[in-house]
Amino acid sequence: MFFKLFKSDKSKAAEAPSDSSSSEQAVAEKPAEADGEPGLPLGAYMDSAGATVADSLGFNTTADLKPADGPLGQEKAIESIDFAAGIKGPGYHLLVVGPTGSGRRTVARARLQPAADKSARPSDWAYVSSFDPTGGFRALKLPSGTAKRFAEMMARAIDQLADALPAAFTADDYDLKRRTIEEEFRFSREDALESLRREAEAQNIALLRTPAGIAVAPVLEGKVVKTDVFNSVPEVLRREVETKIAALEAEIEAILTERPEAEKERRARLVALNEQVAGRHVRAALDEIKADFAEVAGVESYLKAAARDLVRNAAMFVSGATGSSGAQAARVSASHPSFARYLVHVLATSSEGSGAPIIHEQNPTYANLFGRIELGTAADGSTQVVRIKHGALHRANGGFLLVDGDALIDSPAAADALRRALEADEIRFDPPAGPVGAVGDEVPDLEPIPLNLRLVVFANAGTQRRLAASFPGLRRLLKVEAVFDHAVDRTKETVDTFARIVAGVVDKQNLRPIDAAGVALLIDEAAHRAGSTRKLSLLIGDVIDVCREADHWADTEKRKTISAADVERALKQRRAINAAELAEAS
Amino acid sequence: MIAHVAAADERSGRVVLWHGGSASVSRIAIDAAMLLAQSFQAEVESLYVEDTQLFDLAAFPFARVIGASGGSWRALPHETLEREMRFAAAAFHRQVAEVGSDASVPCRSRIVRDEPLRAVSRACAENGPWNLVVLGEPLTPSDGPRLAQLFERVRDTTGAVITGPLGRRSQGSVVAVVEDFQRLGPMLRAAQRLAPACGGDVKLTLVGDRRDELSWMEGEARLLCATGREDDVIAFESVLAANDDPAPLAAVLQRYKPGFALAQYGGRLVATGASLRPLTAALECPLLLVR
């Protein structure tokens, strides 16, 4: 609550003619005398009553001034920020302390930007499937700015295979080869059965086909023996026939069911055939990616694993043959969930000409800092990853991450995880709650990504204390402290700079120029807020609001310039609002 | 109906689609029956034969059955056998009726309890002799003797259509493998009648064991074809087969990928009583074997 009623009669100043031709020099010398402290550069542009003399400011309107966007004073804080931005090596995280409205965020960002611009673009990172039974993901480090292209090329390759593989697997040649293998397997079984059939025939026993399979019967001259005939032969013979039948049944059962070696060979031959057919297309689809990223460590091994998996699961690309000829098959879209495991999840990437990133995360929850995993259900009912979304840590890696201390304190789990990440220098996905769509503990493993960033936390004095009390470990990591003052001494230089900052606000907000008297009122307000006519408040946040509201009143009066009356009206309105808020609070 | 002397003014025969009671049905065989019926304006009679010998077996207390793909033996009482046959016959007839309806071919169905070949023979004798028997189950390499018995015992038929385990196609060219010049004309005409229904052209493969014989056959064949319709497209190929090896002829069937094929029963491609292994390893379409 800064806008207390001012003791001096501001209306007089507001009504005073803005005659800039009057003696600037005489008034400029007055303040020191008025305070009885000659020689000190305090109370610049001030009359004996402590009010700023508009005529002495040296301009008619802010349009005459070169706009400035600050900062005003804050040399020590700036020095600390520059130190943290420039020092090499990890661990020098920054705590920026200052009251709200002190411009700490703007200043910090402005000071970090040159350091970020000078820094090299960080590498891109992407998560790709490890194609192992764990269903985990490996982190792939890619050259700056190439991750998206890598992901797009991989998606194109899958798309290409979605066209090529169904055609290959429904081609006559493939089908014939596959069925030949199957039939050879069957032929070998039938050869064994045929051999058994001949052996049985020699013993007057026949193998018969029934609707349910194969049966064994005693025969005589090619015909099944009738029961009455069979029963008429001596029991010894009957027993002998039954024994032979039982033995044949055992052999038939062995032929039909117990042929692991033949079955193994059949499977091996089918796998080899599939690999031969699918492998050719898979290699062709991945060749371009392999060539483009040949120098990147890890890409070749990933592509090899992906190729193996694609060949092994080539059947996924064919939704199923239809018709008796078996020659038609529907194309499966490349965006089908079945292909989710071939997605490249881009976590961090940078664009041409950018340096190190500066990311301000306003809501530092765990998901916003560390990213999140979205799960879906695969065709076989299992859980699969459909998306890995990056967090602020991924985007800021290699640069600066800016967070608000208050928001961090409100997310204790995220604050603890952030501390662990900074201590370990790695982004490890270990969420306090399950990801979207997760069932039970089916959260896939993500390989940790090396972390190299500078954390910048903004806090006021109260937040600083709470941070130290609640998260001492994190507070210890913030080795560099930049403290923003709330006021500076009122000197000619600081007043001039203040006026130029007001000009900067006008310029940025596209407002009408403010005349000197209006600026003088703003200077007096800053002095009032600093609690002394010898000081100027650095809390310029509300200055912007006052300027915009004054611009509105000038517009209402159809003035081309914002006058002192407009500023005064805006200030009064703001004082009334603040008084009401105070009353409500009390 | 007869393949090698068929003419429009002759009494129409039948296509007898015979299911011998095993567990499998060849869809390609059903398609072949419909193609023949369409081409010769015939009807299809689907005949399911309940083998009496199986009932004789079922009368034994030790009668058991095992699935063709393995499993364990289970008892085969009369009632079970009867029920399984009834279900299998119903499924077979329903499938034939559906395909026949789609192909606009009149179909009849019949279940007969008899010795299988006698049942087929009787069915053909009812409306003979211009019948064609289509075997509803894919042949296995060891079915050579069974096929020989069919040609020997079923007299009122001009031929039989077989399919193999690799059967997958009934549309495409019609390939006639001619080993005997006497059969050239009838087989050519049969192929020409089948070609429109199969949606392909006719390919004539002439087989001989001497070059001069082959050249003469080809010349005669070209003369025969020259008298046909102008839009008939016929391709010729001569195969010199010095011995009885069926492999070169099986290779022809593989190479052309036909939708239908014709050959002479008892020739090089399908010798009487011989193993069908070379044929079943190559045959992807129905094969009409003429006497």
Side-chain angles (χ1 to χ4, degrees):
Chain A
M1 173 63 185
F2 294 105
F3 289 88
K4 294 175 184 171
L5 289 177
F6 214 111
K7 285 179 183 173
S8 62
D9 185 2
K10 293 267 176 57
S11 60
K12 284 183 185 174
E15 289 161 6
S18 57
D19 183 5
S20 60
S21 62
S22 56
S23 56
E24 179 189 304
Q25 189 183 357
V27 178
E29 289 168 354
K30 270 184 180 176
E33 291 170 9
D35 285 1
E37 294 178 55
L40 289 174
L42 300 178
Y45 307 113
M46 200 167 63
D47 64 14
S48 57
T52 303
V53 179
D55 295 346
S56 67
L57 291 174
F59 59 88
N60 287 328
T61 71
T62 52
D64 301 335
L65 299 174
K66 184 183 176 186
D69 54 5
L72 182 56
Q74 314 288 23
E75 290 80 5
K76 284 183 182 173
I78 289 168
E79 190 181 337
S80 297
I81 293 170
D82 288 348
F83 172 76
I87 190 168
K88 305 292 181 201
Y92 287 89
H93 303 291
L94 174 63
L95 178 65
V96 179
V97 183
T100 304
S102 61
R104 55 195 176 161
R105 289 189 186 85
T106 310
V107 171
R109 195 168 185 118
R111 303 305 296 190
L112 294 174
Q113 193 63 56
D117 290 344
K118 275 191 281 184
S119 301
R121 288 166 69 191
S123 298
D124 287 2
W125 287 92
Y127 271 123
V128 291
S129 173
S130 60
F131 298 114
D132 61 21
T134 66
F137 285 77
R138 28 185 305 214
L140 214 52
K141 184 181 181 183
L142 298 161
S144 307
T146 61
K148 279 187 181 168
R149 187 163 61 89
F150 182 76
E152 285 166 4
M153 289 177 84
M154 195 65 195
R156 271 204 306 276
I158 299 302
D159 212 36
Q160 185 182 330
L161 289 172
D163 277 334
L165 287 180
F169 280 103
T170 51
D172 277 358
D173 287 354
Y174 170 77
D175 195 52
L176 183 62
K177 285 175 185 169
R178 181 185 63 77
R179 294 202 301 158
T180 301
I181 293 170
E182 299 281 11
E183 288 309 318
E184 281 179 14
F185 173 72
R186 210 163 69 92
F187 286 165
S188 69
R189 191 173 64 179
E190 286 185 354
D191 283 349
L193 280 176
E194 180 58 23
S195 170
L196 200 62
R197 190 190 311 274
R198 282 195 294 271
E199 187 186 320
E201 274 175 6
Q203 303 174 68
N204 282 332
I205 294 171
L207 272 57
L208 304 175
R209 296 179 198 181
T210 81
I214 300 168
V216 184
V219 290
L220 192 63
E221 296 175 349
K223 305 283 182 193
V224 174
V225 177
K226 304 274 187 189
T227 46
D228 52 346
V229 176
F230 187 76
N231 290 335
S232 66
V233 300
E235 187 177 350
V236 178
L237 286 178
R238 292 204 304 270
R239 294 276 172 238
E240 191 181 329
V241 171
E242 286 181 30
T243 306
K244 285 177 185 174
I245 286 175
L248 281 167
E249 285 179 346
E251 286 189 62
I252 291 170
E253 187 175 336
I255 289 169
L256 294 179
T257 58
E258 293 175 11
R259 304 196 320 134
E261 286 306 315
E263 175 63 19
K264 197 173 165 185
E265 188 195 339
R266 184 187 72 87
R267 285 179 186 280
R269 288 181 62 189
L270 283 174
V271 167
L273 175 64
N274 288 346
E275 285 181 356
Q276 184 192 355
V277 174
R280 191 171 63 245
H281 292 280
V282 168
R283 279 191 296 276
L286 299 181
D287 265 358
E288 190 185 352
I289 311 175
K290 196 175 173 183
D292 279 15
F293 290 86
E295 306 299 322
V296 183
V299 168
E300 189 179 351
S301 64
Y302 164 69
L303 290 176
K304 272 186 184 171
R308 274 197 303 274
D309 192 81
L310 282 163
V311 168
R312 199 164 48 237
N313 296 291
M316 280 192 320
F317 288 82
V318 185
S319 63
T322 56
S324 58
S325 61
Q328 298 167 10
R331 180 189 184 281
V332 179
S333 164
S335 58
H336 194 274
S338 301
F339 305 136
R341 66 170 171 275
Y342 305 114
L343 279 175
V344 175
H345 304 271
V346 177
L347 271 291
T349 188
S350 58
S351 54
E352 190 71 37
S354 64
I358 300 176
I359 303 298
H360 189 174
E361 180 51 62
Q362 307 224 14
N363 183 20
T365 60
Y366 188 92
N368 287 349
L369 285 176
F370 289 81
R372 69 169 189 269
I373 296 177
E374 291 175 10
L375 303 176
T377 306
D380 62 358
S382 62
T383 304
Q384 67 172 1
V385 173
V386 293
R387 188 181 182 206
I388 302 175
K389 194 176 183 307
H390 57 62
L393 286 177
H394 300 106
R395 288 182 289 136
N397 203 1
F400 301 92
L401 174 64
L402 283 51
V403 294
D404 292 328
D406 284 327
L408 203 55
I409 290 169
D410 288 343
S411 302
D416 274 337
L418 179 60
R419 174 188 55 78
R420 287 195 297 273
L422 294 172
E423 285 173 348
D425 292 328
E426 66 178 24
I427 309 170
R428 180 180 290 275
F429 188 75
D430 186 14
V436 176
V439 179
D441 294 320
E442 297 168 17
V443 181
D445 288 335
L446 303 187
E447 185 184 0
I449 291 177
L451 178 66
N452 173 28
L453 60 73
R454 195 130 300 163
L455 176 67
V456 179
V457 177
F458 297 106
N460 57 31
T463 307
Q464 184 185 14
R465 282 193 296 276
R466 286 168 60 207
L467 198 62
S470 304
F471 303 100
L474 183 61
R475 176 64 187 88
R476 273 195 298 276
L477 292 173
L478 301 166
K479 290 180 184 171
V480 184
E481 205 171 301
V483 180
F484 276 66
D485 295 325
H486 80 284
V488 289
D489 290 338
R490 176 172 179 153
T491 66
K492 185 175 183 303
E493 290 72 26
T494 56
V495 171
D496 285 345
T497 304
F498 185 90
R500 286 179 54 222
I501 287 173
V502 172
V505 170
V506 166
D507 192 48
K508 273 190 180 171
Q509 302 289 324
N510 202 20
L511 308 176
R512 291 168 176 75
I514 304 175
D515 67 16
V519 174
L521 280 180
L522 290 171
I523 294 168
D524 289 343
E525 184 68 20
H528 169 68
R529 287 164 62 179
S532 165
T533 54
R534 298 177 180 224
K535 297 276 188 183
L536 283 178
S537 168
L538 295 174
L539 309 180
I540 61 167
D542 280 343
V543 171
I544 297 170
D545 290 334
V546 172
C547 290
R548 293 176 67 180
E549 286 157 19
D551 182 73
H552 167 74
W553 296 124
D555 184 53
T556 306
E557 299 294 330
K558 301 194 184 321
R559 278 196 280 269
K560 290 184 178 176
T561 304
I562 298 171
S563 69
D566 300 322
V567 173
E568 177 62 19
R569 194 170 175 181
L571 284 171
K572 275 184 179 172
Q573 190 176 28
R574 190 142 285 276
R575 285 171 200 140
I577 292 169
N578 289 334
E581 284 177 357
L582 182 66
E584 192 178 335
S586 62
Chain B
M1 174 175 129
I2 186 163
H4 46 289
V5 290
D9 57 348
E10 282 180 343
R11 184 159 62 99
S12 179
R14 273 181 309 179
V15 178
V16 178
L17 180 54
W18 167 40
H19 192 285
S22 74
S24 55
V25 176
S26 167
R27 170 59 197 260
I28 297 297
I30 297 175
D31 288 343
M34 300 305 160
L35 285 171
L36 285 164
Q38 283 176 324
S39 302
F40 294 95
Q41 295 83 48
E43 64 176 13
V44 171
E45 176 170 340
S46 60
L47 176 67
Y48 187 92
V49 182
E50 296 179 348
D51 190 346
T52 48
Q53 294 206 83
L54 292 179
F55 288 99
D56 290 341
L57 167 65
F60 285 102
F62 53 77
R64 299 200 300 169
V65 66
I66 188 170
S69 57
S72 57
W73 291 91
R74 61 177 173 81
L76 184 66
H78 186 281
E79 299 75 23
T80 303
L81 179 64
E82 198 163 40
R83 190 174 63 249
E84 286 174 351
M85 282 182 166
R86 199 163 56 241
F87 288 154
F92 175 61
H93 290 323
R94 188 169 55 248
Q95 193 176 1
V96 173
E98 285 172 1
V99 180
S101 173
D102 290 345
S104 301
V105 169
C107 295
R108 290 194 295 149
S109 61
R110 188 153 38 147
I111 301 174
V112 176
R113 185 172 298 187
D114 201 345
E115 187 272 316
L117 286 176
R118 187 168 57 205
V120 177
S121 183
R122 283 178 175 169
C124 289
E126 285 176 10
N127 198 21
W130 317 130
N131 295 293
L132 272 176
V133 176
V134 179
L135 277 69
E137 300 137 297
L139 288 190
T140 63
S142 59
D143 277 330
R146 188 171 164 226
L147 194 60
Q149 282 193 336
L150 173 73
F151 273 95
E152 185 186 327
R153 291 181 54 189
V154 183
R155 305 308 304 174
D156 296 307
T157 174
T158 59
V161 177
I162 61 170
T163 55
L166 296 181
R168 67 195 301 253
R169 197 167 44 235
S170 58
Q171 289 291 307
S173 301
V174 178
V175 173
V177 180
V178 182
E179 301 183 54
D180 178 2
F181 181 73
Q182 299 302 318
R183 289 180 169 86
L184 172 61
M187 288 179 73
L188 178 61
R189 281 195 291 277
Q192 285 173 319
R193 288 185 72 160
L194 276 168
C198 293
D201 57 0
V202 174
K203 297 185 191 306
L204 207 53
T205 299
L206 304 170
V207 187
D209 53 7
R210 295 199 325 270
R211 288 193 186 281
D212 57 340
E213 180 196 1
L214 270 176
S215 301
W216 175 78
M217 274 176 70
E218 186 172 335
E220 291 296 313
R222 288 184 185 278
L223 274 175
L224 199 62
C225 292
T227 61
R229 297 197 312 272
E230 287 183 1
D231 56 350
D232 285 345
V233 180
I234 299 178
F236 293 90
E237 183 187 23
S238 295
V239 176
L240 187 64
N243 53 34
D244 291 337
D245 183 8
L249 302 183
V252 168
L253 296 183
Q254 260 188 326
R255 192 171 65 250
Y256 280 137
K257 299 185 188 304
F260 217 108
L262 291 83
Q264 173 194 342
Y265 179 71
R268 291 180 181 83
L269 185 60
V270 187
T272 307
S275 167
L276 299 177
R277 167 62 57 82
L279 180 66
T280 54
L283 188 64
E284 296 181 48
C285 67
L287 173 63
L288 169 56
L289 293 170
V290 297
R291 285 188 185 278

